[in-house]
Amino acid sequence: VAYELYYWPGLQGRGEFIRLALEDSGADYVDVARRSGKDRGMPALLRGLKNGSEPHSPFAPPYLKDGDWVLSQVANILMYLGPKIGLAPEDEGLRFIANGVQLTIADMVGEVHDSHHPIASALYYEDQKKEAKARSASFIKDRIPKFMRHFEHLVSHNPDGRGETVGASISYVDLSLFQLMEGLAYAFPRALKKFDANYPHLANLRESVRARPNIARYLASERRIPFNETGIFRHYPELDQEPG
Ligand SMILES: N[C@@H](CCC(=O)N[C@@H](CS)C(=O)NCC(=O)O)C(=O)O
């Protein structure tokens, strides 16, 4: 049976971290909310979120169904899927290391969200522009460099790797770092001008993920929704600036 991925249609969002792993591995999956028909589309996604319809109802998308299992939280879903689809380290200890890195990526994704919605997710960006400007300035100056220095360190010091973040072969963590870099480059092109020079190992990782045949095919397909201003990585020119 195919994996069922449940995520908001029309945007990459947090669902994209799961999608990249499924696409890279060639796993059989259904992107449920983007389909129509019985048990498909938005009604199916919303039904799964309703307390009561599932014994372990998820709080928010993305969630993944595998048979009777319903799993929530990007990092948790990837920790579950990784070994099954050949995208996790062999070593059990390293799987926990990978999960730690993935949770750090999730933290940064939360901060990316807060760069345009610093006050409230329930309010429009237009209602928190001033605060978003201040938040983004600090995100660009302090947080992007701090996270990226950390990820660069992991890749350049991985004792088993030749360009990977954890372990001896590509894992879901590498795919997620690719997505993080793609998203930041879309949202903050001015802030990321010197990215490749500052973080050469990450720059190599990004290109080697992009060149993976299944990823390249996916990125060129209609399944890859372009970045847009309903997602997590939003390009608002007024929020983007050089780190200074
Ligand atoms: N930490 C969760 C965050 C999930 C999340 O925030 N999902 C968003 C969409 S990307 C959502 O629909 N949130 C609804 C809400 O927070 O009320 C994860 O990584 O999966």
Side-chain angles (χ1 to χ4, degrees):
V1 238
Y3 294 111
E4 289 186 347
L5 172 64
Y6 291 75
Y7 192 70
W8 306 117
L11 60 148
Q12 295 181 14
R14 287 181 174 88
E16 200 65 13
F17 297 97
I18 317 293
R19 222 172 262 126
L20 283 173
L22 291 166
E23 290 281 349
D24 184 75
S25 67
D28 192 11
Y29 80 102
V30 182
D31 211 327
V32 174
R34 291 191 194 167
R35 299 282 191 85
S36 53
K38 189 177 171 310
D39 295 331
R40 298 285 180 258
M42 276 292 280
L45 180 146
L46 295 172
R47 224 168 21 244
L49 291 175
K50 277 218 188 86
N51 294 329
S53 70
E54 297 282 354
H56 305 289
S57 200
F59 173 73
Y63 61 95
L64 183 89
K65 281 197 196 181
D66 180 15
D68 290 338
W69 291 103
V70 184
L71 301 159
S72 67
Q73 293 277 2
V74 171
N76 185 49
I77 295 168
L78 288 171
M79 185 154 83
Y80 171 82
L81 268 182
K84 296 179 189 292
I85 62 178
L87 282 172
E90 291 287 326
D91 182 80
E92 198 198 347
L94 285 180
R95 288 188 184 165
F96 285 95
I97 301 286
N99 185 47
V101 181
Q102 191 66 40
L103 286 163
T104 307
I105 293 171
D107 287 347
M108 188 176 190
V109 169
E111 293 195 22
V112 172
H113 168 273
D114 293 350
S115 72
H116 49 79
H117 278 72
I119 301 296
S121 303
L123 292 176
Y124 291 110
Y125 164 62
E126 285 68 24
D127 298 327
Q128 44 195 316
K129 269 180 110 162
K130 201 168 137 263
E131 294 87 351
K133 177 79 189 151
R135 182 71 188 245
S136 294
S138 137
F139 181 67
I140 288 167
K141 184 170 169 291
D142 299 321
R143 301 302 283 171
I144 295 183
K146 187 165 183 184
F147 277 108
M148 289 302 153
R149 272 197 305 268
H150 171 69
F151 296 132
E152 174 79 7
H153 175 89
L154 294 181
V155 177
S156 60
H157 287 73
N158 176 3
D160 309 305
R162 285 151 299 128
E164 299 84 3
T165 314
V166 182
S169 51
I170 285 266
S171 72
Y172 63 77
V173 172
D174 299 308
L175 305 180
S176 290
L177 280 176
F178 164 79
Q179 176 66 8
L180 188 59
M181 292 186 267
E182 290 291 288
L184 288 171
Y186 170 78
F188 301 108
R190 271 186 285 226
L192 262 72
K193 239 190 211 156
K194 300 203 179 114
F195 187 90
D196 289 9
N198 289 341
Y199 313 106
H201 291 85
L202 288 178
N204 280 339
L205 172 63
R206 184 174 167 198
E207 293 319 309
S208 64
V209 169
R210 194 196 308 287
R212 288 170 72 76
N214 283 354
I215 294 290
R217 244 192 310 277
Y218 168 63
L219 295 176
S221 76
E222 283 186 358
R223 298 191 301 288
R224 172 80 165 182
I225 297 170
F227 285 109
N228 64 51
E229 282 54 56
T230 63
I232 300 203
F233 299 100
R234 301 188 184 192
H235 180 55
Y236 294 127
E238 63 276 20
L239 299 185
D240 182 24
Q241 60 186 55
E242 296 196 18

